[in-house]
Amino acid sequence: QRIIAGATAPREDAANVNNWHWSEVDMLPWAKERLEQVCLGVEGKGVPDKGWVKVTKVAVEGEASVSNRKGKRIVAFELKVTCDWKGQVDYDDVEGTLSAPYVSEDVEDSAYEIKWTMKDAKDDSHKAALRHLKKEEPALKAALKTFTKEIYEKGQKPPEVS
C-alpha cells in the first residue's frame, strides 16, 4: 500500500527537478585555466642588463565545486598552486618555484601564504632574481583575491541542467 501525503504526490522516478534538491558542478577545470592565466603574468620588473625572470609553468591541485542544495548555492574550493619560475640575471640562468599551498574560500582578504624557493640558494644571481619576483607578491595576492571573487560570481549562475 502506498501512502501519499503532502501537497504533491511523490514522483515515481525520484527526479531532481531543475536541480532543486541537489546538484554539483566541478569547477576545477575552470579554476586551473584561470589560475594559469593569473600566474603566468607574474614577472619581475627592472632586472638589469636585459635580464628577466618570470613564471613559466603553473600546476594546480585540489578541488573546486559549486553545489546547490534546495536553491542555496555553496561555493567550495581548496587548491594548491605551484609555479615554476625561470630567468636570466647577471648573465646567469636562474630558476625556482613559488607555491600558494592553500588557496581556499577560508582565506581572508589577500592573506594567502606564498612560499618561494630557488634552485641555488647560495648563488647571488638566484638571490637577485628572487628579490625581483618577491616585489610582485602583492600583485600575485591581489590576483588570487580576484580569482576568489570570480569563482563566487561563477557560482551564482545556475548550473547547467543535464
Side-chain angles (χ1 to χ4, degrees):
Q1 175 181 359
R2 227 172 130 186
I3 299 172
I4 299 175
T8 59
R11 292 182 59 103
E12 293 292 327
D13 60 3
N16 184 20
V17 178
N18 295 327
N19 290 327
W20 169 252
H21 294 287
W22 70 90
S23 69
E24 185 170 301
V25 177
D26 182 12
M27 296 294 290
L28 188 57
W30 175 85
K32 284 182 175 183
E33 181 180 319
R34 186 65 185 120
L35 284 167
E36 187 172 294
Q37 291 169 349
V38 164
C39 294
L40 285 176
V42 176
E43 185 174 345
K45 293 176 180 62
V47 182
D49 299 321
K50 296 184 183 177
W52 58 277
V53 59
K54 64 182 178 180
V55 171
T56 57
K57 183 179 175 188
V58 180
V60 179
E61 300 173 31
E63 298 176 353
S65 65
V66 176
S67 301
N68 181 43
R69 175 74 177 129
K70 294 193 174 180
K72 182 179 178 186
R73 302 247 187 271
I74 303 161
V75 177
F77 59 99
E78 190 170 310
L79 304 166
K80 178 183 177 185
V81 181
T82 306
C83 303
D84 292 342
W85 59 265
K86 291 183 180 180
Q88 196 171 55
V89 176
D90 298 330
Y91 304 103
D92 291 329
D93 291 335
V94 293
E95 62 184 280
T97 61
L98 74 86
S99 70
Y102 191 67
V103 177
S104 169
E105 73 275 2
D106 296 338
V107 178
E108 294 182 19
D109 247 13
S110 297
Y112 299 100
E113 177 185 7
I114 308 290
K115 294 181 179 181
W116 301 86
T117 61
M118 52 188 145
K119 184 178 178 184
D120 186 353
K122 295 178 183 176
D123 179 52
D124 289 339
S125 296
H126 278 78
K127 289 177 186 177
L130 203 54
R131 276 195 308 274
H132 287 287
L133 271 178
K134 280 189 173 182
K135 289 177 187 175
E136 301 305 313
E137 189 169 313
L140 179 60
K141 287 183 175 183
L144 292 173
K145 183 178 175 181
T146 299
F147 165 79
T148 299
K149 181 181 170 198
E150 290 172 350
I151 197 169
Y152 273 98
E153 287 172 358
K154 283 194 88 56
Q156 295 309 309
K157 297 177 184 168
E160 302 283 323
V161 178
S162 50

